Amino acid sequence: MAEVSSRQVAAPVLGRLVVVGLGLIGGSFAKGLREKGLFREVVGVDLDPESRRLAVELGVVDRCETDLAAACQGGDVIQLAVPILAMEKLLAELAGLDLGDALLTDVGSAKGNVVRAAREAFGGMPARFVPGHPIAGSEQSGVEAAKATLFRRHKVILTPLENTDPAALACIDRLWRALGADVEHMEVEHHDEVLAATSHLPHLLAFGLVDSLAKRSENLEIFRYAAGGFRDFTRIAGSDPVMWHDIFLANRRAVLRTLDAFRDDLDALRGAIDAGDGHQLLGVFTRARFAREHFSKILARRAYVDAMHSNDLIYLANPGGSLSGRIRVPGDKSISHRSIMLGSLAEGTTQVEGFLEGEDALATLQAFRDMGVVIEGPHHGKVTIHGVGLHGLKAPPGPLYLGNSGTSMRLLSGLLAAQPFDTTLTGDASLSKRPMNRVAKPLREMGAVIETGPEGRPPLTIRGGQLLTGMRYEMPMASAQVKSCLLLAGLYAAGETTVIEPAPTRDHTERMLRGFGYPVTVEGNTASVESGHKLTATHIEVPADISSAAFFLVAASIAEGSDLLLEHVGVNPTRTGVIDILKLMGADISLENQREVGGEPVADIRVRSSALKGIDIPEDLVPLAIDEFPVLFVAAACAEGRTVLRGAEELRVKESDRIQVMADGLVALGVKAEPTPDGIIIEGGPIGGGEVWSHGDHRIAMSFSVASLRAGAPIRIHDCANVATSFPNFIGLANQVGIRVSVEGEK
Ligand code: S3P
C-alpha cells in the first residue's frame, strides 16, 4: 500500500475509496478525502436514492453504486459508515465478496459488537479490518450536512486487534490525520468502557430525564419554567433516537456497568439528602465543580509532554518605561500550599484569605479534594476547608496530578508516607525531571516505602500502611521543602522527628503548625515535632508573596524615575534575602507599616529607582533569596560592574536549570553572563532586544519581562504559560504599574 501523507497531495496515491453509508459521517469522510485528492476515485453506496443523488450533486463522491459488489470490486479502502445495527448484515454481505487486498474500516460508536459481527461473518477478524470511531457527531444528519472539515481537531479512536496488519492500521491512521483528526489507538474493550461513561451514559440520562418529566401530569408547568439548567442538561436529548437505540443495544454490557456505578452514586446522594447530610452534598458538588477544569488541565499537560510541542505562549516586552502606583501582588505560594495541607488535617473548619489562585497552589487543593476533603472556593482568595483530622484522609481515586509544583510533591510525600492507603504522585514535564530522592531517601529511613522513577524522578508511588519512626536528620542541602516534608511525616512517626538544616530556610511550616496549635520546637538550626498532638482549625491570612513582589522590587529599582508601593508583603526573615541583596547593590527600598498577621511578619514595601552596583553576593543569603535569583540576575545586568553568585547549585534543579537558562537569555540580549557550576558571573552593561526562552519556568518569563525596562529593543519571551503557576494576572499588574509587556497576538 502506498504511503499517504497528511499534507495536501497533488496526485492521487491510492485507487478507489468506497464509502458504504452516505450519512453525515460517511459523507464527510468521503468529501474530505475527495477534496484532498488522495484517491483516484471516491465511490458511494447507499440504499436511499436521494442520498446517492445528493452525494454526487454536492461533490461528496465521484459516483454512486447501488450494488455493493460492483462498488467494492477493485476498491482499496472500504469505509463502513452504516448505522451500527446494520453492520452485521453488511459484514455478512461483504464476507461473500472477493475483496482482494482492500482495507476495511468503520465508524461505529461501539466497537465490541462490530468486532464480534466481523468475526462471525468472516470466521475470524480479517487482518485488514481496522475498527474506528470518529468522535465528531453533531445534531445535523444526512449527506446534505457532510463537511470536508468535520473531523478537523476531533478525536478519532482506532481499535486495532492483535492480528491487525500494521500497514493497514498505518494507512487508516494517515487517512484520518489527512482530514485533520487527532488519532488515538485503544483496545476495543477500553474504548467501549470509556465511551459508555463519557457519551452513552450522559445521553441515557438526558433522554431519561426529559421523558420522566414529560410523563408527569404537571408536565406543561415543568417545561414552561424549564430554565437554563434543564435546557443545558437535556440538549443532547434532541439527538437521533434510532441511532442511540442502536448504540445502547450494541454497547449493552459496558453501559450497564457504568450505569450501575452511577446508580450507586445517585443512591448515595439520595441518602445524603434524606439524612440532611449537607457535608456530603458539599463534598460532591465542590469536587464536581472543579473536576472538569482539573482534568482538562491534566489532559493539556499530557498533550504537551507527549507531542513535544505546545501552544507556545509568547510575551512581548517593549523597551523602556518607569513604575509608579501601589499594588498588591498575589498571595504567598508557600503559605497557600501549607494552608490547604494543614487546614485539611485539622479538626474543624479553617478559613483562608488571600489564597494564591495560581496553578501550583490549586494543584495542592485539588489533591486534598481527591482525598475526600471538602474545600469551598477559592473565590476572590477565600477558601473554606472542612478539616478531616490527621487520620481522616481517604484514598484518592487515581494518581494525584501536581502539575508544575515541586512544593506539592515534596511536602505531600511526607504526609502521604504515613497514610493507610497507597498514592501515586505525578506532574508535568518540568516536575517529572526534578529530583525526589532528597525526600524519598530520608522518608525511607523513617520506614516509608516509596518507589520513584529512574534516577529518583517522579512519578512517586507511596505505599500506605507503614509505621514510621521519628529520626534525627541532618539535611545535606538547605531546603525548606525537605524540612517540611519530614516534619509533616513526623506528625505521624513514633517519637520525635528532628531536622537539622545547614543554613536557615523558610520556616512557614513551623509557624503554621504552631498557628494550628501543634507544638514545634525550634532551637537554632534544629526543628522538631512529636506525634500524638492534633491540629485545630484556625483563620489564615496569606500575605502577598515576596517572591512575586521581587519582580517589581527589581523593576522599580532599574527603571529610572520609578516610585512604587507594594502592599501587605510577607517579610518573614527567612524570605527577605532579595531585599538584603538589592540593598547591598544600592537599591532604595524601605519597609513601612510593619506588622504581624497570623504569625507572619508583613509590611508595605516602598521602592524607588537607584543606580545599582555589582556585588559578590554573600553565600549565607542564598537560601533566603532562592526563588528570586532569576530577577536578581536582571538587576545585576543593569548594575555597574560585576556581580558574582556562588553556592547556589540548587538553582540548577528548580523548575528549570535557572543558572543556564538565565545565562542563555542574558547572553542572547547581549549581556556578559558566565555560568559556573554553582552560580554565575554577570557584568553589568547595556541590554539589547531579542528572543529568549523561559523553558516553561514562570520566574524566568517574568524576569525577562522586567529586563525590558532597560532593553534597547523589544524582547520576545517564549514558553510563558507557566507564569500562571505562581502569578495569575502578572501581565495585568505589570501593565498597571508601567511595564510594557503583553501576550503576543492579544490586544
Ligand atoms: C519552597 C521552598 C523552596 C522554594 C520553593 C518553595 C517551599 O524550595 O524554592 O519555591 O514552599 O518550601 P527548596 O526548599 O527546595 O529550596
Side-chain angles (χ1 to χ4, degrees):
M1 178 67 48
E3 277 277 299
V4 179
S5 135
S6 63
R7 285 173 290 114
Q8 180 104 26
V9 287
V13 286
L14 289 164
R16 184 191 307 162
L17 169 67
V18 182
V19 177
V20 187
L22 294 169
L24 170 72
I25 301 288
S28 299
F29 185 80
K31 192 170 193 200
L33 290 176
R34 186 168 180 258
E35 286 183 11
K36 290 276 168 199
L38 289 173
F39 287 87
R40 260 194 308 279
E41 73 167 343
V42 178
V43 177
V45 184
D46 201 286
L47 293 176
D48 174 36
E50 183 61 7
S51 295
R52 293 198 300 268
R53 189 187 65 76
L54 275 171
V56 176
E57 190 179 304
L58 298 172
V60 169
V61 294
D62 295 301
R63 62 187 178 83
C64 277
E65 287 278 354
T66 37
D67 180 49
L68 185 66
C72 294
Q73 177 81 48
D76 287 298
V77 175
I78 304 174
Q79 171 65 280
L80 312 180
V82 299
I84 209 160
L85 291 189
M87 198 66 94
E88 210 172 307
K89 191 163 160 266
L90 174 62
L91 285 166
E93 267 185 65
L94 286 167
L97 304 177
D98 175 11
L99 299 177
D101 274 348
L103 303 190
L104 285 176
T105 185
D106 79 308
V107 296
S109 309
K111 302 274 43 109
N113 69 310
V114 175
V115 171
R116 265 192 308 278
R119 279 195 178 124
E120 264 169 41
F122 289 89
M125 185 69 183
R128 294 171 75 73
F129 185 176
V130 182
H133 174 206
I135 304 180
S138 106
E139 321 64 72
Q140 294 173 309
S141 56
V143 72
E144 53 275 40
K147 261 187 5 198
T149 55
L150 184 70
F151 306 108
R152 195 175 284 166
R153 284 194 226 106
H154 280 269
K155 283 213 186 316
V156 171
I157 303 175
L158 301 181
T159 61
L161 288 104
E162 252 174 36
N163 71 329
T164 303
D165 175 359
L169 176 62
C171 175
I172 301 299
D173 186 302
R174 287 186 195 127
L175 291 181
W176 283 112
R177 284 182 204 278
L179 296 176
D182 175 9
V183 184
E184 291 190 13
H185 298 183
M186 244 185 220
E187 283 188 8
V188 170
E189 296 72 29
H190 188 212
H191 168 276
D192 286 359
E193 287 290 340
V194 168
L195 269 289
T198 56
S199 168
H200 307 171
L201 179 63
H203 279 84
L204 191 77
L205 298 182
F207 285 127
L209 178 68
V210 176
D211 184 53
S212 166
L213 295 187
K215 274 194 313 221
R216 296 196 193 163
S217 54
E218 72 278 31
N219 57 17
L220 253 189
E221 284 299 278
I222 291 173
F223 285 89
R224 176 172 303 142
Y225 299 111
F230 178 82
R231 223 182 20 237
D232 290 349
F233 185 81
T234 58
R235 180 181 59 81
I236 49 179
S239 307
D240 179 356
V242 177
M243 184 182 104
W244 279 98
H245 134 282
D246 281 13
I247 291 173
F248 285 111
L249 295 181
N251 199 21
R252 203 158 41 202
R253 265 178 296 178
V255 168
L256 285 179
R257 264 195 298 276
T258 194
L259 185 60
D260 287 346
F262 179 71
R263 209 164 54 177
D264 290 346
D265 289 342
L266 202 60
D267 283 345
L269 273 179
R270 191 193 181 283
I273 294 171
D274 190 26
D277 184 350
H279 184 258
Q280 165 81 1
L281 294 177
L282 201 59
V284 174
F285 299 164
T286 46
R287 279 198 304 278
R289 178 171 177 193
F290 292 95
R292 291 175 73 204
E293 205 183 320
H294 176 63
F295 286 110
S296 335
K297 216 169 272 170
I298 297 178
L299 288 173
R301 290 298 159 90
R302 284 239 179 91
Y304 168 66
V305 177
D306 290 348
M308 294 311 284
H309 60 74
S310 67
N311 295 332
D312 184 7
L313 185 76
I314 297 174
Y315 281 3
L316 192 61
N318 281 312
S322 67
L323 279 79
S324 62
R326 47 192 306 150
I327 50 169
R328 179 164 171 167
V329 298
D332 188 281
K333 185 152 76 78
S334 294
I335 298 177
S336 295
H337 280 299
R338 288 157 172 83
S339 70
I340 298 294
M341 296 182 189
L342 299 191
S344 296
L345 299 177
E347 292 175 20
T349 303
T350 290
Q351 304 282 355
V352 184
E353 281 180 68
F355 181 79
L356 168 66
E357 295 184 38
E359 289 184 3
D360 277 12
L362 292 173
T364 293
L365 192 154
Q366 183 64 33
F368 281 88
R369 275 201 181 117
D370 286 347
M371 292 189 284
V373 182
V374 176
I375 304 176
E376 296 173 66
H379 183 63
H380 297 158
K382 287 199 174 52
V383 180
T384 305
I385 309 163
H386 299 264
V388 295
L390 277 167
H391 300 282
L393 295 178
K394 297 205 185 90
L400 297 174
Y401 178 74
L402 301 169
N404 195 246
S405 180
T407 310
S408 308
M409 191 169 284
R410 298 212 177 102
L411 270 58
L412 271 174
S413 59
L415 67 91
L416 293 175
Q419 301 302 324
F421 48 82
D422 294 355
T423 33
T424 297
L425 307 181
T426 65
D428 73 358
S430 153
L431 182 53
S432 301
K433 286 192 214 130
R434 298 184 67 186
M436 292 296 148
N437 274 340
R438 54 181 59 200
V439 290
K441 192 175 149 289
L443 285 172
R444 284 185 195 125
E445 286 176 37
M446 292 175 77
V449 177
I450 302 183
E451 292 148 33
T452 68
E455 293 167 43
R457 316 272 174 217
L460 296 185
T461 299
I462 303 173
R463 300 287 166 206
Q466 315 301 324
L467 291 176
L468 305 188
T469 312
M471 67 159 175
R472 203 177 153 76
Y473 186 67
E474 277 194 42
M475 288 196 295
M477 75 288 285
S479 166
Q481 294 184 352
V482 177
K483 172 176 67 174
S484 303
C485 161
L486 299 180
L487 292 177
L488 290 172
L491 303 182
Y492 297 88
E496 192 177 62
T497 302
T498 298
V499 189
I500 303 155
E501 47 187 10
T505 66
R506 64 191 70 191
D507 62 358
H508 305 300
T509 305
E510 297 91 301
R511 285 176 189 253
M512 201 182 283
L513 277 169
R514 288 200 185 115
F516 277 89
Y518 204 101
V520 184
T521 315
V522 178
E523 276 162 20
N525 60 352
T526 302
S528 312
V529 291
E530 221 180 42
S531 56
H533 303 274
K534 64 171 189 164
L535 297 160
T536 307
T538 186
H539 182 104
I540 295 175
E541 203 186 308
V542 183
D545 197 330
I546 189 165
S547 298
S548 298
F551 300 105
F552 296 96
L553 293 178
V554 171
S557 296
I558 62 172
E560 214 179 305
S562 298
D563 185 348
L564 185 71
L565 191 84
L566 295 156
E567 293 173 347
H568 205 80
V569 182
V571 286
N572 178 317
T574 59
R575 297 286 298 280
T576 47
V578 61
I579 296 178
D580 299 333
I581 293 169
L582 283 172
K583 279 188 170 169
L584 287 173
M585 296 176 82
D588 180 356
I589 296 175
S590 54
L591 268 54
E592 300 173 1
N593 192 16
Q594 295 196 45
R595 56 218 182 261
E596 189 161 305
V597 178
E600 289 279 352
V602 169
D604 299 330
I605 308 182
R606 179 148 190 206
V607 51
R608 282 174 278 208
S609 37
S610 63
L612 302 182
K613 55 183 193 307
I615 58 165
D616 272 14
I617 297 175
E619 276 191 46
D620 58 340
L621 289 179
V622 169
L624 309 180
I626 193 70
D627 289 337
E628 290 70 65
F629 282 107
V631 78
L632 282 169
F633 296 169
V634 171
C638 297
E640 191 191 328
R642 163 183 296 202
T643 295
V644 181
L645 172 69
R646 295 186 195 85
E649 52 278 274
E650 276 294 301
L651 293 180
R652 293 204 179 265
V653 290
K654 292 293 179 191
E655 285 85 327
S656 69
D657 175 345
R658 287 183 172 162
I659 292 175
Q660 193 59 49
V661 171
M662 279 306 294
D664 291 346
L666 288 171
V667 168
L669 300 179
V671 177
K672 268 181 83 181
E674 189 192 318
T676 61
D678 66 340
I680 195 166
I681 303 166
I682 297 171
E683 298 284 348
I687 302 182
E691 308 251 332
V692 295
W693 275 262
S694 73
H695 290 264
D697 187 328
H698 52 138
R699 301 202 194 280
I700 307 275
M702 292 185 274
S703 299
F704 282 115
S705 307
V706 168
S708 66
L709 288 157
R710 288 276 288 268
I715 305 178
R716 272 183 98 220
I717 312 159
H718 290 267
D719 208 359
C720 294
N722 279 342
V723 167
T725 59
S726 69
F727 203 145
N729 195 28
F730 168 71
I731 295 274
L733 273 188
N735 289 174
Q736 185 185 325
V737 294
I739 305 177
R740 299 165 180 171
V741 61
S742 58
V743 173
E744 192 173 77
E746 273 179 21
K747 283 215 176 120

